[in-house]
Amino acid sequence: MKFSHLMFLSLTVLSLQAAQAADKLRIGVVPGAYGDSVAVAAKEAKRQGIDVQVVEFTDWTTPNVALDAGDLDLNYFQHQPFLDNAIQKNGYKLASAGTGILSNVGLYSLKYKSLTALPQGAKVGIANDPVNQGRALLLLQNVGLIKLKPKVGYLGSIDDIVDNPRKLSFVEVEGPQLVRITPDVDLAQGYPHFIVAAKAFDPSSGLAYSGIEDARFAIQFVTRANRVNDPVVQKFIQIYQNSAAVRADIGRAFNHDSRLYTLAWLKK
């Protein structure tokens, strides 16, 4: 009887330890609105029993490598088309567990006040990854600067340009670095939250913006496919989506300009 009692106590302690261990999350982010808002949510999660470690990355490749390897529990930096492409290219067993911010993309120039003022041979900075480059090219097509092959969509690359009347040349860099090269080119694809984070220039000064209603580019909370319904993962996402402090921080990160973002989870 005494042995059974001790066994019960041991199992209870182990169960409590397991529960405590489960209520920890390592979340990979990039600087700016995504990282800052997750950090705010992490403080609220702490009060609700989840110990969150926010891990910051400066590129768009390593967060998925780390997540797939089990070094992270979640990451929060990519939209669904980017994730789909990464899974196709690398065989990752990753999936979205919830939706976050939808960030607009803009075209910015520190040299010209309108798109019509761009000279022949202007240098244009765009992201070097397949999906975000395609998104920039679609925006350039929408404003009449280039023409792409029919139906190429957001997976288009500079090789898919069939008409370039101003003979634009393209400078390809990692997405988070676009804000740094904007002074060195004539026009650049820009992410308003990175611009705010860098304090580089006015994020509301874009010469054109992509459609903010394009929900497929909303940032996702991504985890390994077998953890999509994990209670701790879902609890954190609910904290993020329902936190007034998180929403206030997102507004700050987007210059309090409602043209630049939307809370995509509210639009479903």
Side-chain angles (χ1 to χ4, degrees):
M1 194 71 176
K2 187 178 291 185
F3 176 78
S4 298
H5 181 63
L6 289 172
M7 178 69 79
F8 173 77
L9 287 175
S10 297
L11 290 172
T12 300
V13 170
L14 288 172
S15 296
L16 287 171
Q17 289 175 339
Q20 290 170 352
D23 290 351
K24 293 183 179 181
L25 293 174
R26 283 172 54 87
I27 305 178
V29 299
V30 292
Y34 309 148
D36 291 348
S37 59
V38 165
V40 171
K43 293 179 182 178
E44 298 204 9
K46 181 76 171 178
R47 293 192 287 270
Q48 297 190 38
I50 305 176
D51 184 11
V52 177
Q53 181 182 356
V54 181
V55 183
E56 191 170 281
F57 296 86
T58 56
D59 68 272
W60 289 351
T61 300
T62 313
N64 278 336
V65 174
L67 180 60
D68 190 66
D71 297 325
L72 298 173
D73 300 295
L74 279 170
N75 66 38
Y76 185 64
F77 78 101
Q78 63 193 314
H79 45 62
Q80 191 65 49
F82 186 95
L83 174 61
D84 291 343
N85 185 67
I87 291 171
Q88 181 182 0
K89 297 288 186 183
N90 301 288
Y92 296 139
K93 295 182 179 179
L94 306 178
S96 170
T99 300
I101 309 166
L102 172 60
S103 172
N104 245 1
V105 170
L107 295 175
Y108 292 88
S109 177
L110 301 184
K111 299 178 181 179
Y112 303 99
K113 294 183 178 181
S114 71
L115 294 172
T116 56
L118 286 175
Q120 287 284 316
K123 289 185 178 180
V124 181
I126 59 173
N128 64 0
D129 68 275
V131 172
N132 286 293
Q133 183 171 119
R135 194 178 180 193
L137 293 173
L138 285 175
L139 182 53
L140 288 167
Q141 178 173 252
N142 289 343
V143 298
L145 289 175
I146 62 170
K147 186 176 180 180
L148 297 167
K149 293 176 183 176
K151 300 181 181 179
V152 71
Y154 59 78
L155 290 178
S157 72
I158 56 176
D159 294 331
D160 295 307
I161 298 172
V162 294
D163 190 21
N164 183 5
R166 297 203 197 182
K167 302 189 184 307
L168 305 177
S169 63
F170 295 92
V171 180
E172 302 173 75
V173 299
E174 286 264 354
Q177 306 306 317
L178 283 163
V179 65
R180 295 184 180 181
I181 72 159
T182 302
D184 303 320
V185 296
D186 299 299
L187 186 70
Q189 174 185 5
Y191 299 86
H193 56 288
F194 287 142
I195 296 168
V196 172
K199 299 179 180 178
F201 47 87
D202 182 3
S204 297
S205 66
L207 303 182
Y209 296 102
S210 62
I212 203 163
E213 72 283 350
D214 197 351
R216 65 186 169 183
F217 292 112
I219 299 303
Q220 302 296 309
F221 287 96
V222 176
T223 187
R224 292 185 295 283
N226 62 357
R227 292 197 65 186
V228 167
N229 296 313
D230 183 295
V232 180
V233 168
Q234 288 299 323
K235 182 178 179 180
F236 178 80
I237 294 171
Q238 288 297 312
I239 290 170
Y240 182 96
Q241 292 178 341
N242 291 289
S243 166
V246 166
R247 295 185 189 190
D249 191 75
I250 292 170
R252 174 202 58 77
F254 284 93
N255 205 38
H256 302 290
D257 186 343
S258 60
R259 298 175 303 159
L260 305 184
Y261 77 100
T262 192
L263 305 179
W265 64 88
L266 299 178
K267 303 298 182 181
K268 288 187 172 184

